[in-house]
């Protein structure tokens, strides 16, 4: 098994894997993605054969019949899928988004994956909606081409911007409530 088609985990893949509630679901998703990229090389049968497990063991792990599989078995599966074994566990998905490669090249170089070439095209549309007039108006529309290196930083910046807007709204709400309490307090003294 020399020339495999690698798959770099995207932001949305990471969050889909993060939402999964079992090791087996992650094993199955990663195996199926490897099989999709490298037709018929990552069937349950092939993974079982190459990781010295039975096909029924792989099936039982993926279908959650074994909820806490032996670490050694998971290491064998991860080695054949060429992913970090940590990618099967909940702890890997805590904190910020991490990227990893399914079917990572054996020499661990990622020369075949162009980190500086355009990998993503993000279409941005900002809509404003007046609650009072119940109308929509497009206020901003643009396409941004991003490299694999730019992507994670872009997502972080976008998340920060959204959080900043939400926080600003909370701050104004607090100020308005404080103002209303002061105003109400002055009315009582008059």
């Amino acid at each position: 098994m020399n020339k495999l088609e690698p798959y770099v985990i995207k932001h949305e893949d990471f969050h889909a894997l993060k939402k999964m509630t079992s090791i087996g679901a992650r094993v199955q998703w990663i195996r199926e993605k490897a099989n999709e990229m490298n037709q018929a090389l990552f069937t349950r049968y092939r993974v079982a054969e190459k990781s010295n497990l039975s096909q029924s063991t792989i099936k039982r792990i993926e279908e959650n019949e074994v909820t806490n599989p032996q670490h050694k078995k998971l290491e064998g599966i991860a080695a054949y899928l060429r992913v970090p074994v940590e990618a099967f566990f909940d702890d890997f998905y805590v904190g910020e988004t991490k990227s990893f490669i399914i079917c990572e090249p054996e020499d661990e170089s990622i020369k075949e994956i162009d980190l500086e070439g355009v990998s993503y095209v993000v279409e941005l549309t900002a809509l404003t909606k007046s609650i009072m007039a119940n109308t929509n108006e497009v206020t901003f529309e643009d396409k941004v081409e991003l490299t694999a290196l730019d992507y994670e930083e872009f997502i972080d910046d976008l998340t920060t911007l959204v959080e900043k807007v939400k926080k600003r709204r909370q701050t104004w709400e607090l100020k308005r409530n404080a103002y209303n309490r002061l105003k109400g307090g002055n009315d009582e003294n008059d």
Side-chain angles (χ1 to χ4, degrees), residues 107-164:
D107 63 355
E108 295 188 23
S109 72
I110 51 176
K111 294 176 188 168
E112 298 164 21
I113 301 169
D114 185 5
L115 294 176
E116 295 178 0
V118 173
S119 299
Y120 300 91
V121 176
V122 179
E123 294 184 21
L124 301 168
T125 304
L127 299 174
T128 58
K129 183 173 183 174
S130 170
I131 295 171
M132 307 203 42
N134 201 20
T135 61
N136 288 333
E137 178 184 334
V138 175
T139 57
F140 178 83
E141 201 166 325
D142 202 353
K143 278 188 181 179
V144 180
E145 294 181 344
L146 301 171
T147 67
L149 295 173
D150 295 331
Y151 183 74
E152 292 303 320
E153 192 171 326
F154 174 80
I155 294 301
D156 288 342
D157 290 346
L158 192 58
T159 303
T160 300
L161 175 64
V162 170
E163 291 304 315
K164 185 177 179 180

